[in-house]
Amino acid sequence: MGKVWVLGAGQLGAMMRHAAMPLSIEVQPVDFNQSQEVVLAEEDVVTAEIELWPETPATQTLAAHPNFANKAVFPRLADRYTQKQLLDELNIATAPWQLVCEKTESESLFSALGDTVLLKRRTGGYDGRGQFWLKQAEATAVPEGWHNEAIAEKKIPFDEEVSIVGVRDREGNMFFYPLTLNLHVNGILMASIAPLERLGKLQKEAEGMLRKLLSSLDYVGVMAMECFRVGDHLMVNELAPRVHNSGHWTQAGTSISQFEYHVRAVAGLPLANAVVKGQSVMINLIGVARDNRWIGVDAAELYWYGKEVREGRKVGHINLTQPSLSALNSALGKLKPMFPEPYPQVFEWVEKNLP
Ligand code: ATP
Ligand code: MG
Ligand code: MG
């Protein structure tokens, strides 16, 4: 079996490599700026841990390989304009939107989308970066440099944020994990909970939407769909053509993690149905210094990315899975005092949302 090359050398590629080890599949992440020549074999496959990358000798070599999975999907989903067009074409509910053109003024956006409008840069935004709120009451104008470079979205008064991660193989077989409940603070994911019985009634709708996307794109691998829950229905916020932060809980909470699924799919291996074990919680580590007391807590599984700690930067995550809620709550209770602000509120959100 050939190697699986990953475009990008961040934590997602590293976790794919880790997940593929028991299967003895070699996963090789590649830094965009790697100077060492990338030499691929005919039977190798290429995937990516990110949807947009700079043109460099390394990325050009990888992207030119005939076995680059979902090659045409990346540019289509990396641009919010074409991503939103795809959702509309497939009749998948999403926040009402408009392209911010050369001449678009905020007044026309207010009359089309309401008195509070979210501008999102078409490409490159993540963790809430590349967003700008326009408020009619404050007569906010479209900032300089955002014309032609952004879409405008209606503000959705959602009840909560959920996501679904699914995988499709080359033959069209698919598997979907249960919906995950997510807490975002200032546009950045802080914690996830899965599975949740109360979200079960939305599972069919979520799977239907993602199934339609995966099939229509003839997609191979893992895709994540972030949604807003508005009453009893879902509205797609955005899509990620890759493994996703809100699927990290599957490393501890299921028999086949999203990382292993992605490797299986792109390598042409059988998928099978992952078994969900117990109750899982994932706590994202954002701009916090490593604290080894964390791994002294039963069930706490730390993934530390080895990056320099900076404010607002994702530097790791902790997964917790327990068969009983009381054991999970006890672990969370021990972790909570080990964290600085604003984590007490994150733990409170988790406690409040666990069954
Ligand atoms: P990610 O890191 O998930 O890729 P991102 O920077 O690409 O994030 P979005 O997911 O589009 O950005 O938005 C970030 C967060 O902003 C959402 O999770 C949600 O909390 C909020 N948000 C986004 N769009 C809207 C909207 N139309 N109405 C209200 N809130 C929104
Ligand atoms: Mg995003
Ligand atoms: Mg998002």
Side-chain angles (χ1 to χ4, degrees):
M1 186 168 291
K3 273 194 204 181
V4 176
W5 296 84
V6 184
L7 218 153
Q11 66 265 18
L12 299 178
M15 289 189 277
M16 267 184 234
R17 183 178 170 87
H18 172 226
M21 278 178 183
L23 299 176
S24 194
I25 295 174
E26 196 182 344
V27 172
Q28 182 64 62
V30 179
D31 189 272
F32 307 144
N33 296 310
Q34 173 173 316
S35 50
Q36 193 195 341
E37 200 192 342
V38 180
V39 184
L40 297 107
E42 206 181 323
E43 70 272 20
D44 289 353
V45 294
V46 179
T47 184
E49 62 157 20
I50 194 164
E51 44 274 67
L52 195 67
W53 49 84
E55 292 272 316
T56 66
T59 64
Q60 278 166 343
T61 306
L62 290 173
H65 196 279
N67 296 340
F68 187 4
N70 311 311
K71 187 178 178 185
V73 176
F74 290 104
R76 203 158 166 200
L77 295 191
D79 185 338
R80 289 189 192 271
Y81 177 40
T82 47
Q83 184 181 129
K84 284 291 223 180
Q85 283 179 318
L86 174 68
L87 292 166
D88 285 354
E89 267 165 39
L90 296 176
N91 259 314
I92 294 174
T94 186
W97 66 282
Q98 216 176 284
L99 180 66
V100 179
C101 302
E102 184 68 44
K103 298 259 182 285
T104 305
E105 304 280 6
S106 47
E107 269 317 312
S108 73
L109 296 174
F110 296 137
S111 50
L113 300 167
D115 60 12
T116 315
V117 171
L118 183 55
L119 299 187
K120 295 183 176 180
R121 295 200 68 92
R122 285 172 56 175
T123 57
Y126 68 99
D127 291 348
R129 295 166 215 219
Q131 302 198 350
F132 187 89
W133 285 99
L134 290 180
K135 295 183 180 140
Q136 193 163 28
E138 296 167 17
T140 335
V142 175
E144 207 172 314
W146 286 59
H147 291 98
N148 295 322
E149 299 293 332
I151 61 157
E153 271 185 18
K154 186 181 170 71
K155 181 184 180 176
I156 304 300
F158 54 80
D159 295 301
E160 51 194 5
E161 294 191 73
V162 299
S163 61
I164 184 166
V165 173
V167 61
R168 182 177 181 275
D169 70 12
R170 293 179 196 163
E171 282 78 49
N173 300 304
M174 289 181 242
F175 174 82
F176 301 94
Y177 291 110
L179 276 161
T180 302
L181 182 68
N182 300 316
L183 171 68
H184 296 256
V185 178
N186 297 326
I188 187 161
L189 182 69
M190 295 299 287
S192 299
I193 306 174
L196 279 178
E197 206 182 295
R198 69 176 176 82
L199 297 178
K201 58 179 187 295
L202 299 165
Q203 185 73 22
K204 216 174 135 197
E205 184 181 21
E207 288 186 12
M209 290 164 149
L210 188 50
R211 180 175 289 115
K212 207 194 262 188
L213 282 156
L214 295 175
S215 306
S216 76
L217 295 169
D218 197 18
Y219 191 84
V220 175
V222 163
M223 185 183 285
M225 184 175 94
E226 292 181 18
C227 298
F228 300 130
R229 178 178 74 78
V230 185
D232 289 333
H233 289 284
L234 297 176
M235 207 177 239
V236 175
N237 172 31
E238 61 164 353
L239 304 168
R242 53 173 169 79
V243 289
H244 191 257
N245 200 164
S246 70
H248 288 2
W249 66 272
T250 64
Q251 291 172 309
T254 67
S255 59
I256 307 168
S257 74
Q258 62 164 348
F259 301 99
E260 181 175 339
Y261 259 145
H262 188 71
V263 172
R264 285 191 190 203
V266 298
L269 294 170
L271 295 184
N273 293 310
V275 176
V276 177
K277 311 172 199 171
Q279 180 67 60
S280 295
V281 168
M282 189 276 317
I283 306 286
N284 246 2
L285 303 171
I286 310 296
V288 285
R290 177 173 174 153
D291 184 339
N292 283 328
R293 289 179 304 164
W294 297 333
I295 55 170
V297 174
D298 291 351
E301 298 181 17
L302 172 66
Y303 288 77
W304 185 256
Y305 307 155
K307 301 195 278 196
E308 191 198 326
V309 178
R310 275 192 246 123
E311 201 191 321
R313 190 177 204 199
K314 227 176 253 182
V315 290
H317 70 275
I318 295 176
N319 286 328
L320 299 142
T321 299
Q322 284 285 24
S324 80
L325 271 173
S326 60
L328 183 60
N329 276 310
S330 142
L332 290 164
K334 286 177 188 144
L335 280 174
K336 189 176 172 182
M338 298 176 185
F339 279 86
E341 287 298 327
Y343 277 92
Q345 291 99 288
V346 174
F347 282 89
E348 277 150 33
W349 176 87
V350 172
E351 285 159 19
K352 194 182 84 200
N353 282 288
L354 280 172

